[in-house]
Amino acid sequence: DGGITQSPKYLFRKEGQNVTLSCEQNLNHDAMYWYRQDPGQGLRLIYYSQIVNDFQKGDIAEGYSVSREKKESFPLTVTSAQKNPTAFYLCASSGRDRTSPYNEQFFGPGTRLTVL
Amino acid sequence: AQSVTQLDSHVSVSEGTPVLLRCNYSSSYSPSLFWYVQHPNKGLQLLLKYTSAATLVKGINGFEAEFKKSETSFHLTKPSAHMSDAAEYFCVVSGPYTGGFKTIFGAGTRLFVKA
């Protein structure tokens, strides 16, 4: 089955630690995204990548880092510089569609990060 | 500039009654519009999308939405609610932006369905 996987589902971090969230897709999509979701709020874009070896900051990139070494993978590192990292993190991808340049995004199941 | 406003943070309906979730958007160009659903602790699932074809869009699970350019609205409807429809719904607009395109998510509407 094609789709997006995120791991782990739950992650606990001590203050001052860096942690890396995994995101893998087998949809052959060029673009991938990371979002943060806080209770009762919509999604906020952290980073996105439209092609391998290239990525751009989103609206709330401070305290986060990413890499895009492979088309299938877009890991997110939450660094100790992120002051309030407890949240639900969602990874998404999108591909090309001849009917529209603004294509829907496909989402993974999410990772819930809790800082202890 | 683009923006999207979901007019209700919470909507409560009884099972078997119609559902209306309201969304207004702002865009300088013809955008693409989407509705997603999110069940607790899950990812988002696409319900339907509008991409400048038919203005009445049918989606999964009996949902549909109508694009009204004059009202800049893209409201989501369903004739008869099921208990399984209880979830968070997001209206999303995507369109051109400097150097590429931008996708903006609404704040979400939580749908409650009473037995």
Side-chain angles (χ1 to χ4, degrees), chain B residues 27-40:
Chain B
S27 178
S28 303
Y29 302 91
S30 295
S32 291
L33 294 159
F34 310 88
W35 275 100
Y36 288 84
V37 61
Q38 184 182 32
H39 291 275

Side-chain angles (χ1 to χ4, degrees), chain A residues 11-74:
Chain A
L11 185 58
F12 298 89
R13 187 193 97 172
K14 293 181 180 179
E15 287 195 19
Q17 282 183 335
N18 292 355
V19 291
T20 297
L21 283 59
S22 170
C23 177
E24 304 276 333
Q25 54 100 357
N26 62 3
L27 300 168
N28 199 32
H29 285 168
D30 289 314
M32 296 187 74
Y33 313 81
W34 273 105
Y35 293 93
R36 170 180 172 140
Q37 186 177 30
D38 293 284
Q41 299 189 28
L43 278 64
R44 293 185 289 170
L45 182 65
I46 304 172
Y47 268 98
Y48 65 99
S49 167
Q50 293 183 291
I51 198 168
V52 174
N53 292 322
D54 185 57
F55 48 83
Q56 307 295 329
K57 292 182 179 180
D59 300 318
I60 55 164
E62 185 176 351
Y64 300 97
S65 66
V66 293
S67 62
R68 186 86 186 277
E69 297 177 1
K70 299 187 300 181
K71 188 175 185 178
E72 301 79 18
S73 179
F74 191 41

